[in-house]
Amino acid sequence: MVDVLPLVEARLTTALGEPDARAAVTFLGTDRIEVLRFQEGDVVRYATLGMSAHPMTDPTAMLADPVKGPRAELVLSVRAGAADTDKVLRPLAVLAASPQVEGLIVTPGASLDVGDPLWPGAPFTSVLVGEPGGLVEDLELDDPMEPVRFLPLLPMTPNEAAWKRVHGAQALQERWLANGTDLRDPARRSAPLD
């Protein structure tokens, strides 16, 4: 069985450069999740490392397949300096551990909620999972393993999260686009939703 995490870290480093910081979090009954921080100009990116060690499995399945199933890591991009975003490390690790803890399969268009601000004073408690393949290319693995997808996280205000539940992820993303919403602004207000 191949150890996926060194390959994942190499892909992240190739796409984002060398991380300037890393932190590890371990939750009872789960594997360790690391969060790597990458600085690029005025943008800070946080990427999980550990979520893809095992495939995500359907919680209703009788037996978890140790090889087949979707694999992913999470990537959050925010503007540096406007908020203490380094405190997002633990909430990101919680989200990355959710497939192991709650049996979630994290897919584009899903909402993930941590229940508390993502960092001190953040107007966001949840994120919208974006489409992979933009910032970091998928990492192909040997058959029969599925590729590791690097899923961008888009912070949502509570109003946006409620609106998304009614209208869907695509409609929310179109609303953000129509309003020129800066999704990297760690202190932004909710987009107009009328």
Side-chain angles (χ1 to χ4, degrees), residues 100-119:
Q100 288 183 59
V101 175
E102 300 173 34
L104 289 179
I105 296 180
V106 179
T107 58
S111 299
L112 302 175
D113 196 321
V114 293
D116 290 312
L118 292 176
W119 52 82

Side-chain angles (χ1 to χ4, degrees), residues 14 19 24 36 39 41 44 49 71 85 102 128 148 153 174 178 181-182:
T14 299
L36 311 181
Q39 184 92 33
V44 181
L49 179 63
R71 295 175 190 257
T85 56
E102 300 173 34
L128 175 66
V148 176
L153 300 180
E174 288 169 5
T181 305
D182 180 1

Side-chain angles (χ1 to χ4, degrees), residues 72-96:
E73 295 291 351
L74 308 175
V75 180
L76 173 70
S77 300
V78 292
R79 296 219 182 285
D84 188 8
T85 56
D86 280 351
K87 297 285 196 294
V88 78
L89 300 177
R90 185 167 178 77
L92 267 183
V94 167
L95 296 177

Side-chain angles (χ1 to χ4, degrees), residues 35-193:
V35 179
L36 311 181
R37 184 181 72 190
F38 302 87
Q39 184 92 33
E40 182 186 326
D42 70 337
V43 175
V44 181
R45 301 186 199 287
Y46 301 93
T48 63
L49 179 63
M51 182 177 169
S52 63
H54 305 285
M56 295 180 273
T57 56
D58 185 340
T60 62
M62 291 295 281
L63 225 48
D65 190 317
V67 178
K68 293 181 183 173
R71 295 175 190 257
E73 295 291 351
L74 308 175
V75 180
L76 173 70
S77 300
V78 292
R79 296 219 182 285
D84 188 8
T85 56
D86 280 351
K87 297 285 196 294
V88 78
L89 300 177
R90 185 167 178 77
L92 267 183
V94 167
L95 296 177
S98 62
Q100 288 183 59
V101 175
E102 300 173 34
L104 289 179
I105 296 180
V106 179
T107 58
S111 299
L112 302 175
D113 196 321
V114 293
D116 290 312
L118 292 176
W119 52 82
F124 320 105
T125 61
S126 63
V127 293
L128 175 66
V129 180
E131 291 290 334
L135 189 61
V136 184
E137 285 184 34
D138 294 350
L139 172 64
E140 297 294 331
L141 300 173
D142 295 335
D143 276 341
M145 294 190 287
E146 291 186 31
V148 176
R149 304 200 186 293
F150 297 88
L151 302 172
L153 300 180
L154 310 170
M156 293 188 293
T157 65
N159 284 347
E160 290 169 339
W163 198 86
K164 183 250 174 199
R165 279 192 294 275
V166 173
H167 300 280
Q170 183 68 36
L172 178 59
Q173 289 176 310
E174 288 169 5
R175 185 59 56 112
W176 282 337
L177 197 57
N179 288 291
T181 305
D182 180 1
L183 297 175
R184 294 180 180 168
D185 181 353
R188 73 173 179 84
R189 299 198 184 289
S190 186
L193 301 171

